[in-house]
Amino acid sequence: MKGRVLTSDVLLGIAPIALMIAVWQALISFGYAPATLLPPPGQVFMRLVRQLGNNEYQQDIAATLFRLFAGFAIAVVLGVGIGLAAAASPAVNAVVRPIVRVLAPLPKVALYPALLLLLGFGHESKITLVVADALFPILLSTYYGASMVEQKLIWSAMAAGTPPRQILFKVVLPAAMPSVLTGCRIGLVISCIVVFLAEMITSTDGLGHVLVTAARTFRAVDMFVPLITISLLGLILNGLLQWLRSYLLRGFPEV
Amino acid sequence: MIEISGVSQVFQTSGRQSHLALSNISLTIQDGAFVSILGPSGCGKSTLLYIVGGFVAPSQGTTRVKGKAITGPGPDRGPVFQEFALFPWKSVLGNVMYGPRQQGVSSAEAEAQSRQLIEMVGLKGFEHFYPKELSGGMKQRVALARTLAYHPAVLLMDEPFGALDAHTRTRLQNDLLNIWERDRKTVLFVTHSVEEAVFLSDKVVVMTRSPGRIKRIIDIDLPRPRRRAELLLDPHYQKYVVDIEGMIDDTSEDELHP
Amino acid sequence: MMSWRTLVSRLAPLLACLGLLGIWQIGALILDTDSFPTAIDALRAVPSILTDKESLINILASLRRMAIGFGVGVGLSIPLGLMMGRSRAVASFFNPLLMITYPVPKAALMPIIMLWLGVGDLAKTLVIFLGVSLPVVFHSFQGARAVEEKMLWSGAAMGLSAGQRMLRIVLPSALPEILIGCRTGLVLALITMITSEMIARQSGAGNILFNALDMGQYDTVFAMIIIVGAMGIGLDAAFEQLRKRLVRWSEPRFDLPLSFS
């Protein structure tokens, strides 16, 4: 019974995607869109497969992934660290809170020109932009999770002889883990988006750069390929994080 | 011996108002005694327990355990909360092992001790379950085992069976008494159930409502080990329950005429 | 009579702004390069941009596109999200599609959309619309899904039709969550606007930024960053005021946006 409901859900979910591809193909087949503007889906797919085997394209993927992971990793360390500190210490909180309040709604991409001027056109400016964008969701959800930890959990650990300085890592961080990981997931998707955009705005390699080069020469097929690649990367990374999450949070209710 | 002398607790509420939760509480509890604190909700009985636990500092007065002033929580006083407060990221075994490991007991030794305790509270076979997979009664058994694992001299129980259904509650009361009979730890037990207090305790401390004061201390002179089926028919037990309920009723009347 | 304490906490964001500008000022003085003007120099360049007619038209055109994209996005996304939240079939129909499009950088669609629609307002507005939609749909979906079933039963017992229940029970109960989505969407609209203009390099605030960068007018670059930053902070603060008014009845929630979710 449950299996059947699930199957019908999956079928329903595939429907709009299949429909989209069908309309896409139909637009070309019936001559509404010239192939120069909208290449047929089969052609895009073939090109994607061929490009994934292409050494140059693989290097572009590698460049994008390197910036993505470097930025995301720094954002996680900073975000979790500052978030925990702000939850644990009223003094840190008093300083961090207003600064975060000002910086969180700031459109970070506007800082990109300044980062280019200060850090140059290489990896550093792009990684910094990724950090700036991914940091806040991670910081905020860590802070939120850490300040919501049940008081009696902390008391139980203290009574069992946990010294005060260990409480933060032995109780607060693990108890805030669901919230921290939610923040990380948001941060990861943002990292994907931001690294791609930064590469589009100015770069000499990476997936975003592939898209811009194709756009300059009006090669529509090559514009779709990097876009699909970055979405696939996003989905795969998201899936990996989801798997990590269900492993780390196996004890928590309703993962 | 626990000595509570002249303890008062004032809470700052919004603005400049303050609320006197406990007023001038003095109480001495002998080693090995089972003492219940009974009172209407909001009488500060849990706060008193938190003060003895060292989780909350009193506004006035001092508390001593074995002659030493309480400055903070310590493994000599183990709490068991109504909310269980188990670590959700640890299995049953992991939760029970936490205390001994903090005390520096080796991993193998802690595991052996913990398995024994888990068996004692009737959860053999559930060692690798996570708290979310257990019922409320089972969770409270784990919480009790976790606290017993670091051998506190005093058990501080904060309405431990308050969130459980009547049937589970009765079973846990019996099991708690059985465990207590073995090593006769000092127990400070907060509850709002008169039957529970009389059934379990050597002494019942009745408190008034806000500000919390000690109204009466009643010695429960019933034979041990206690059997619920016998006790319910015992006129002495019945008289204790009726008398104490009367005292609580009085304090409730006070609330209606402030 | 406001106490000293509440005064400080009210002014804290302002103090934070001043502190950040101060750090900038000191950093610039230490580095002392042309490409990194001091905060004071950058602030001095702000009025000249805002009084320059062409820049002002550019910025206002950007804002207009953003308003339209945001408005249309919110208008279409809330009903969709609410329907997804109340109907399992609608949810399973749209969910995978949303999941696939979630990690696509919306501003990156700019070159393709420009290819189809040209470089006009339509392409840019469409991109902003796409950027706004996802978070609003997602939060409306979450909000509608969390509506207490028994509240709907009571509504049905009182004789409300399905449509009325949606409008008079689901919408208000989901409103706090919907507004969180709108707040995220607003910040995203600004980001998408700037980014798409940076990529298209035709007109708008994002273009002014990069033109100034190319021409080496570093004061203008940093002044534009201040303007865009102030827009983001101002819009967010204004929306937060509106949100507080609309959902005064709801439980006080975390008062900082977990943006992008």
Side-chain angles (χ1 to χ4, degrees):
Chain A
M1 180 64 210
K2 203 182 168 197
R4 207 193 275 156
V5 172
L6 268 178
T7 337
S8 70
D9 275 356
V10 170
L11 282 179
L12 256 179
I14 292 172
I17 298 166
L19 199 71
M20 203 177 73
I21 296 175
V23 170
W24 180 356
Q25 182 63 50
L27 278 175
I28 300 153
S29 302
F30 295 108
Y32 289 108
T36 45
L37 291 187
L38 188 66
Q43 198 187 336
V44 172
F45 181 73
M46 291 306 290
R47 178 66 66 98
L48 176 67
V49 172
R50 216 177 60 209
Q51 284 284 58
L52 287 178
N54 178 338
N55 192 277
E56 213 175 308
Y57 194 69
Q58 283 168 359
Q59 278 171 9
D60 282 317
I61 295 179
T64 301
L65 280 179
F66 167 70
R67 291 166 188 151
L68 191 150
F69 282 132
F72 178 64
I74 297 172
V76 168
V77 171
L78 283 181
V80 173
I82 301 174
L84 277 182
S89 141
V92 177
N93 192 345
V95 176
V96 167
R97 209 181 165 82
I99 292 180
V100 168
R101 192 175 225 157
V102 169
L103 291 184
L106 189 93
K108 258 68 73 180
V109 70
L111 296 176
Y112 191 45
L115 296 175
L116 288 174
L117 286 174
L118 286 171
L119 302 171
F121 286 76
H123 287 312
E124 295 86 347
S125 53
K126 293 178 186 65
I127 291 173
T128 312
L129 185 67
V130 172
V131 174
D133 259 314
L135 174 68
F136 291 97
I138 299 173
L139 194 164
L140 287 170
S141 46
T142 303
Y143 170 71
Y144 184 57
S147 44
M148 285 290 163
V149 174
E150 211 190 320
Q151 183 68 57
K152 281 167 190 165
L153 227 49
I154 296 172
W155 286 358
S156 297
M158 280 163 80
T162 318
R165 19 184 193 85
Q166 287 181 19
I167 289 285
L168 200 58
F169 291 97
K170 285 215 158 132
V171 182
V172 177
L173 184 58
M177 210 31 119
S179 186
V180 172
L181 288 176
T182 303
C184 287
R185 208 168 123 206
I186 300 168
L188 184 66
V189 175
I190 294 174
S191 305
C192 265
I193 294 178
V194 170
V195 78
F196 194 84
L197 293 177
E199 285 170 355
M200 280 182 78
I201 295 169
T202 158
S203 182
T204 51
D205 57 355
L207 289 171
H209 178 247
V210 175
L211 172 57
V212 172
T213 336
R216 284 206 193 104
T217 47
F218 298 104
R219 281 178 291 127
V221 186
D222 289 313
M223 289 164 68
F224 280 91
V225 170
L227 264 178
I228 295 174
T229 312
I230 192 77
S231 319
L232 284 178
L233 280 181
L235 285 175
I236 292 168
L237 293 176
N238 204 1
L240 286 177
L241 199 65
Q242 195 67 26
W243 174 81
L244 180 73
R245 182 186 164 88
S246 54
Y247 172 74
L248 284 177
L249 302 186
R250 60 199 181 283
F252 285 82
E254 55 185 277
V255 174
Chain B
M1 197 163 76
I2 306 171
E3 295 158 278
I4 302 167
S5 49
V7 163
S8 296
Q9 182 68 41
V10 180
F11 288 118
Q12 292 295 323
T13 51
S14 58
R16 276 175 216 143
Q17 294 208 315
S18 59
H19 168 74
L20 184 62
L22 290 174
S23 172
N24 197 20
I25 305 275
S26 293
L27 183 65
T28 306
I29 296 160
Q30 301 298 332
D31 281 344
F34 198 124
V35 176
S36 287
I37 304 176
L38 191 66
S41 55
C43 71
K45 53 190 191 293
S46 290
T47 308
L48 184 61
L49 195 81
Y50 301 157
I51 289 172
V52 177
F55 307 122
V56 173
S59 311
Q60 254 174 39
T62 53
T63 41
R64 287 167 188 282
V65 171
K66 292 202 181 351
K68 269 195 351 203
I70 293 171
T71 52
D76 55 332
R77 287 151 287 136
V80 178
F81 297 109
Q82 184 182 5
E83 302 88 340
F84 321 129
L86 295 172
F87 303 128
W89 60 93
K90 283 184 186 291
S91 63
V92 168
L93 186 62
N95 267 285
V96 180
M97 277 173 68
Y98 184 85
R101 292 293 289 146
Q102 280 300 318
Q103 305 298 311
V105 177
S106 76
S107 177
E109 174 76 353
E111 184 174 334
Q113 285 178 11
S114 299
R115 282 184 186 276
Q116 228 172 355
L117 273 168
I118 292 168
E119 193 177 345
M120 187 174 91
V121 297
L123 287 178
K124 193 173 166 58
F126 290 94
E127 287 86 352
H128 296 290
F129 280 55
Y130 283 98
K132 71 167 174 190
E133 296 161 318
L134 306 179
S135 69
M138 291 159 95
K139 281 182 195 162
Q140 199 55 289
R141 287 168 189 273
V142 178
L144 181 62
R146 178 179 69 175
T147 302
L148 291 174
Y150 50 87
H151 309 297
V154 180
L155 275 182
L156 302 171
M157 307 190 80
D158 179 21
E159 300 193 40
F161 309 142
L164 307 176
D165 64 77
H167 178 68
T168 314
R169 196 176 171 134
T170 315
R171 284 189 52 188
L172 272 161
Q173 287 168 358
N174 283 323
D175 291 355
L176 174 65
L177 271 193
N178 286 336
I179 291 168
W180 179 78
E181 291 287 353
R182 293 186 201 180
D183 49 8
R184 295 250 174 171
K185 286 182 190 301
T186 313
V187 180
L188 198 53
F189 191 102
V190 164
T191 177
H192 55 246
S193 157
V194 178
E195 286 99 336
E196 184 171 74
V198 175
F199 175 55
L200 296 172
S201 315
D202 299 322
K203 234 180 227 194
V204 174
V205 180
V206 180
M207 289 181 64
T208 61
R209 184 174 186 168
S210 109
R213 287 200 186 89
I214 293 179
K215 183 168 186 177
R216 281 280 291 281
I217 300 176
I218 300 107
D219 287 311
I220 307 294
D221 194 11
L222 293 169
R224 286 188 192 271
R226 293 180 186 165
R227 304 257 172 277
R228 186 177 159 82
E230 294 165 15
L231 223 53
L232 287 180
L233 294 170
D234 185 337
H236 297 292
Y237 167 81
Q238 292 161 355
K239 183 155 191 332
Y240 279 125
V241 171
V242 173
D243 285 352
I244 295 172
E245 260 174 10
M247 287 172 212
I248 303 245
D249 271 355
D250 285 354
T251 50
S252 304
E253 290 299 311
D254 293 344
E255 291 160 37
L256 295 175
H257 313 286
Chain C
M1 181 61 202
M2 221 191 292
S3 78
W4 176 239
R5 243 207 146 110
T6 48
L7 193 72
V8 169
S9 73
R10 285 258 172 92
L11 290 178
L14 197 68
L15 292 174
C17 278
L18 289 176
L20 289 169
L21 288 174
I23 293 170
W24 173 0
Q25 180 76 19
I26 294 166
L29 286 174
I30 292 171
L31 281 177
D32 192 30
T33 59
D34 285 347
S35 58
F36 191 30
T38 63
I40 291 171
D41 285 342
L43 279 172
R44 244 187 235 135
V46 170
S48 63
I49 297 176
L50 290 182
T51 49
D52 179 56
K53 202 168 167 212
E54 202 186 333
S55 310
L56 202 60
I57 288 173
N58 258 318
I59 293 172
L60 288 177
S62 290
L63 282 176
R64 195 173 59 103
R65 287 193 291 268
M66 186 185 128
I68 295 172
F70 178 73
V72 177
V74 166
L76 292 179
S77 304
I78 293 177
L80 176 62
L82 291 183
M83 279 192 291
M84 281 172 66
R86 291 319 313 170
S87 152
R88 198 189 155 93
V90 179
S92 13
F93 186 80
F94 284 104
N95 250 334
L97 190 66
L98 294 178
M99 221 173 79
I100 293 184
T101 44
Y102 184 39
V104 178
K106 306 300 168 302
L109 296 173
M110 197 63 200
I112 293 177
I113 291 176
M114 268 162 50
L115 198 65
W116 297 340
L117 302 175
V119 288
D121 273 5
L122 189 57
K124 286 174 195 149
T125 315
L126 183 63
V127 170
I128 294 172
F129 162 78
L130 291 175
V132 170
S133 300
L134 269 184
V136 182
V137 170
F138 179 75
H139 280 276
S140 310
F141 169 51
Q142 297 287 335
R145 205 170 50 169
V147 174
E148 187 97 36
E149 197 74 31
K150 297 204 172 111
M151 214 143 66
L152 292 169
W153 291 356
S154 321
M158 282 182 251
L160 294 181
S161 70
Q164 283 172 319
R165 286 203 295 271
M166 197 61 136
L167 205 64
R168 293 179 47 188
I169 298 176
V170 178
L171 180 67
S173 357
L175 196 60
E177 191 68 33
I178 292 174
L179 289 177
I180 291 172
C182 290
R183 192 175 174 190
T184 309
L186 190 65
V187 177
L188 266 184
L190 186 64
I191 293 172
T192 317
M193 172 194 105
I194 299 284
T195 319
S196 63
E197 287 164 356
M198 281 179 172
I199 291 167
R201 301 293 296 272
Q202 289 290 330
S203 66
N207 188 42
I208 299 178
L209 254 174
F210 265 81
N211 269 347
L213 183 66
D214 288 345
M215 290 190 284
Q217 298 165 336
Y218 300 125
D219 286 359
T220 313
V221 173
F222 282 85
M224 256 332 270
I225 292 175
I226 294 178
I227 293 173
V228 174
M231 271 188 219
I233 296 163
L235 280 173
D236 185 68
F239 192 84
E240 180 56 16
Q241 287 302 317
L242 180 73
R243 193 189 69 87
K244 272 192 190 144
R245 244 160 210 278
L246 283 174
V247 288
R248 220 175 309 176
W249 48 270
S250 87
E251 298 278 313
R253 280 195 51 143
F254 198 45
D255 64 341
L256 286 166
L258 283 167
S259 54
F260 290 103
S261 47

